[in-house]
Amino acid sequence: MAAKRIVKSSINWAQLAERVPEHQRSTYQAFKAKSDGYLRKVLAYPENPPTIDWSHYKAKVPVAGMVDDFQKQYSALKIPYPPDTVSSQIDALEKEIRADIEAFNKESNEDIAKYKKELDHLNSLLPYSEMTMEDFKDAHPDIALDPVNRPTFWPHDGTDDLENERRIGSDH
């Protein structure tokens, strides 16, 4: 099997650059420069090795049969291309990661729908500058002041609950 000639990078650098965070931009650019350097070095070499003019060497070398022997050995020489043993592992990992990405996208879309619903609810409310205390209590019953069921006192940070008042009163 002959090796396939690399003519350009198979990486979509523009798409990859969009995903690189700003604080890693210089590292990305150094990596891309190194990759481009390797590609230029590979492309600097010819696709096939230069042909040897065996007749020229036969005329110059005085030992009979030596050039023929070299020619026979050279034509028999086959340098094996390394077998691809990791592509299947990478493909399996890619499928696994794609499943994780799909699950993440599904969760994200559910969250987006939930947040859009909350945003629509907030947009349907009166502006806070126009609300009365009753409107606020209707809109946010969980955080609105409820002096009957949940009385609080200044500074309204939980140190004013009745149990705390009883402990302080019994200590003094």
Side-chain angles (χ1 to χ4, degrees):
M1 177 173 112
K4 186 173 88 170
R5 176 70 173 180
I6 299 172
V7 292
K8 69 173 191 156
S9 175
S10 62
I11 299 170
N12 186 343
W13 291 105
Q15 187 179 20
L16 184 61
E18 292 173 1
R19 298 177 181 191
V20 174
E22 191 61 39
H23 67 280
Q24 292 180 341
R25 185 81 52 194
S26 61
T27 306
Y28 163 76
Q29 289 171 342
F31 172 71
K32 184 180 181 316
K34 188 175 258 191
S35 177
D36 290 345
Y38 289 143
L39 184 62
R40 278 192 297 278
K41 284 181 184 178
V42 168
L43 294 177
Y45 294 112
E47 185 172 351
N48 297 314
T51 57
I52 298 174
D53 183 12
W54 295 107
S55 59
H56 171 75
Y57 287 107
K58 285 179 185 176
K60 297 285 184 183
V61 175
V63 179
M66 181 182 220
V67 175
D68 291 332
D69 187 39
F70 280 149
Q71 184 178 5
K72 184 173 78 173
Q73 289 179 15
Y74 183 79
S75 61
L77 178 67
K78 301 291 180 213
I79 300 184
Y81 192 74
D84 184 7
T85 58
V86 295
S87 285
S88 60
Q89 296 170 357
I90 292 172
D91 291 340
L93 183 61
E94 183 179 5
K95 286 179 184 176
E96 180 182 321
I97 290 173
R98 282 192 191 273
D100 290 345
I101 290 171
E102 291 299 322
F104 175 77
N105 283 342
K106 182 180 176 188
E107 290 175 17
S108 295
N109 288 336
E110 290 170 359
D111 288 344
I112 288 169
K114 181 178 78 172
Y115 295 137
K116 281 185 178 180
K117 187 177 176 182
E118 287 180 24
L119 190 59
D120 290 341
H121 170 69
L122 290 174
N123 287 334
S124 71
L125 296 176
L126 284 172
Y128 288 114
S129 61
E130 297 176 13
M131 276 189 187
T132 63
M133 292 300 284
E134 290 81 14
D135 292 333
F136 184 82
K137 184 176 184 215
D138 291 341
H140 304 286
D142 53 331
I143 60 173
L145 180 63
D146 186 0
V148 175
N149 298 321
R150 292 189 327 257
T152 61
F153 304 97
W154 186 87
H156 308 287
D157 60 1
T159 59
D160 58 348
D161 64 0
L162 295 176
E163 185 63 33
N164 198 14
E165 291 285 330
R166 286 189 201 119
R167 272 187 272 136
I168 293 173
S170 65
D171 289 345
H172 294 316

